[in-house]
Amino acid sequence: MKIGLVMPVGWTELNDFIPPDVKLPAPLEFPFGSRLAAEFVRMGHEVHVFTLCHFTEGEIHAGRNGLHIHIAGYRDPFRMCYLDGFRVESNRLKKMIREYPCDIYNAHWQYEFARPVIEAGVPHIVTVRDNPWKGLWLFSPKAYRLMRLFLAYYVVRKARHLSVASPYMADYLRRWHRVKEDMPVIPNAVPVFDVNSVTREHHDNKIVFVEIANGFSSCKNVKNLLRAYGLLRKMDLGGKDVELRLYGWGYGPGEECEAWAKKHNLLEGVVFRKRMKQKELYREIAEIGDVFIHSSREESFGAVIVEAMGCGLATIVGKKSGACPWVAGHGETGLLVNVNDFQDMARVMRKLATDDEARRAYSEKAIRRAREVFSLEAVARQYLDMYTKFIG
């Protein structure tokens, strides 16, 4: 099968397919998409990736070993792109799509990567990955978010076929876009760390909570997590000690989160970790982490939850935080909480901190669910089955 993937990408996962003498512009980064493209090639298919990068003039074409990369550029300044709904960027991608015909095109995200496959008139599937209404509410600039909302309605109405990354997104499409057709639910594939390759640190009297987030925003809601953790430290923990480790952009030493915590006298017992490579992060939390607590108010999928599950951490996620409950198995791998109520968060944290047996049972189930549901091979086969169905 000749597969066209229209999406942002990251180059790290595609190194084997990029000639060593070719220098590509900085990507937008979508590691799952890149891993999926590479897996399709390994499964014997020809793959064409169509993408956009900033600060790119003209077209760039590269690739080898069955994978071909086609790159066009965004306009500069970027605000020009969203004044007309990425019309120029869509035309640039549409031109390349027509020049490199494939059996099926899968656009990931319902914005500038979906518009060109619809307007090119090629066989396509659009994978819907986020809720633009929530994006408009939670993020800025508002003009950009409003444009994405309008573009999403246009794309969903015009697309031939739709798929989603979680049941939460299927519910969103049925409620807000009145979509009645069945939509395949295919999750992101997330690398599962080999927990057998590390020796866990023994700290029976100290329970380490872990959070991974990028951006100290109201959506990530880490302020409430810090309030909950501060309250937890004042509770009777039956002789246990607790620690909270924060990872990600904005959570390192001297960064925004630490400054806020210092201002509100919530630094005690909190470790602010520098940003690190993914494998280093996995190894560290697998060695010392006990519970992954995700305070985010909204996730259309939640890859960090799967990453933590694969490292053997029990989970605490928001019961109404988008796809988070589904990713965590609706309580199979841990506990659900109201992330808008820091007192409820503290109570749930205390429960897992003091119940060793439950915590270990959740850990085992977390590893199993990460491997069985979110492996790359299983996810790639679901996509191929979907492509075959819609081509036929």
Side-chain angles (χ1 to χ4, degrees):
M1 190 185 304
K2 188 183 290 188
I3 302 168
L5 297 174
V6 191
M7 61 186 185
V9 290
W11 304 139
T12 302
E13 294 81 1
L14 300 179
N15 274 338
D16 292 343
F17 306 98
I18 301 172
D21 59 335
V22 173
K23 183 175 176 59
L24 299 179
L28 296 181
E29 292 296 347
F30 180 38
F32 162 62
S34 304
R35 290 192 290 268
L36 184 65
E39 183 68 11
F40 285 156
V41 174
R42 283 189 281 269
M43 296 170 79
H45 301 277
E46 181 181 338
V47 176
H48 290 258
V49 175
F50 302 86
T51 193
L52 293 165
C53 293
H54 291 285
F55 312 113
T56 302
E57 296 290 337
E59 297 178 5
I60 300 173
H61 302 273
R64 59 179 179 173
N65 302 331
L67 190 143
H68 311 274
I69 302 168
H70 313 284
I71 305 170
Y74 286 102
R75 281 169 287 173
D76 185 32
F78 184 64
R79 65 176 177 273
M80 297 297 296
C81 302
Y82 57 85
L83 289 176
D84 60 7
F86 294 104
R87 179 181 60 82
V88 172
E89 289 71 23
S90 175
N91 287 337
R92 290 171 179 173
L93 286 173
K94 183 166 58 177
K95 173 180 176 293
M96 296 191 298
I97 286 169
R98 286 174 170 165
E99 289 174 352
Y100 296 91
C102 297
D103 298 318
I104 189 79
Y105 294 84
N106 188 182
H108 290 261
W109 272 281
Q110 63 274 32
Y111 309 110
E112 68 267 36
F113 295 99
R115 182 175 177 179
V117 299
I118 292 170
E119 296 179 351
V122 295
H124 66 266
I125 301 156
V126 174
T127 298
V128 177
R129 294 194 164 277
D130 66 2
N131 180 340
W133 281 106
K134 289 290 183 71
L136 179 62
W137 172 46
L138 293 169
F139 300 108
S140 296
K142 297 302 182 184
Y144 170 61
R145 295 293 167 180
L146 186 62
M147 178 278 298
R148 284 167 67 90
L149 176 64
F150 290 148
L151 187 52
Y153 271 87
Y154 168 77
V155 165
V156 170
R157 182 169 59 87
K158 294 284 189 179
R160 292 189 187 180
H161 302 290
L162 299 169
S163 72
V164 291
S166 67
Y168 164 71
M169 290 310 304
D171 291 342
Y172 154 72
L173 288 174
R174 293 188 186 102
R175 179 180 180 185
W176 293 97
H177 295 266
R178 299 294 187 262
V179 174
K180 296 181 179 180
E181 69 177 83
D182 289 335
M183 292 164 281
V185 177
I186 306 177
N188 291 353
V190 178
V192 178
F193 184 75
D194 180 11
V195 292
N196 295 321
S197 67
V198 301
T199 301
R200 284 189 56 79
E201 292 185 10
H202 296 287
H203 43 72
D204 291 339
N205 290 321
K206 181 167 75 172
I207 305 304
V208 177
F209 291 88
V210 170
E211 168 69 300
I212 305 169
N214 280 314
F216 188 56
S217 66
S218 63
C219 178
K220 298 307 178 184
N221 194 35
V222 177
K223 291 179 182 178
N224 246 13
L225 172 56
L226 288 167
R227 294 185 183 104
Y229 178 68
L231 180 58
L232 174 69
R233 292 185 62 85
K234 298 175 182 177
M235 293 179 171
D236 178 8
L237 299 177
K240 299 280 189 181
D241 187 17
V242 289
E243 180 177 283
L244 173 63
R245 287 183 165 245
L246 301 177
Y247 298 83
W249 176 72
Y251 299 93
E255 294 187 320
E256 187 177 2
C257 181
E258 185 181 33
W260 186 90
K262 182 177 181 180
K263 180 179 178 180
H264 292 84
N265 197 28
L266 293 170
L267 285 175
E268 187 176 357
V270 182
V271 178
F272 299 88
R273 294 293 286 131
K274 64 181 181 181
R275 280 168 279 177
M276 58 183 65
K277 294 180 180 179
Q278 192 175 59
K279 289 184 179 179
E280 295 174 356
L281 171 62
Y282 288 173
R283 179 169 293 276
E284 181 165 309
I285 67 174
E287 287 177 344
I288 65 174
D290 295 293
V291 179
F292 180 70
I293 178 162
H294 199 41
S295 56
S296 177
R297 292 187 168 108
E298 164 75 10
E299 295 285 357
S300 58
F301 179 69
V304 292
I305 303 171
V306 184
E307 292 171 352
M309 286 161 48
C311 292
L313 277 65
T315 62
I316 298 174
V317 302
K319 62 179 70 176
K320 294 184 178 180
S321 297
C324 294
W326 172 74
V327 171
H330 294 287
E332 176 186 346
T333 67
L335 301 177
L336 304 178
V337 68
N338 178 3
V339 295
N340 292 314
D341 182 347
F342 73 88
Q343 293 179 331
D344 187 36
M345 292 175 71
R347 286 192 293 269
V348 171
M349 292 171 77
R350 180 186 180 278
K351 185 172 182 179
L352 278 190
T354 57
D355 191 337
D356 296 343
E357 184 176 344
R359 194 175 60 252
R360 290 172 186 140
Y362 285 136
S363 172
E364 293 175 2
K365 293 175 181 178
I367 295 171
R368 184 165 59 248
R369 179 169 174 79
R371 290 175 176 171
E372 292 177 356
V373 179
F374 303 104
S375 73
L376 181 57
E377 182 179 0
V379 169
R381 291 197 180 281
Q382 290 181 69
Y383 271 103
L384 291 174
D385 289 344
M386 178 177 67
Y387 298 160
T388 301
K389 174 184 175 182
F390 288 145
I391 289 174

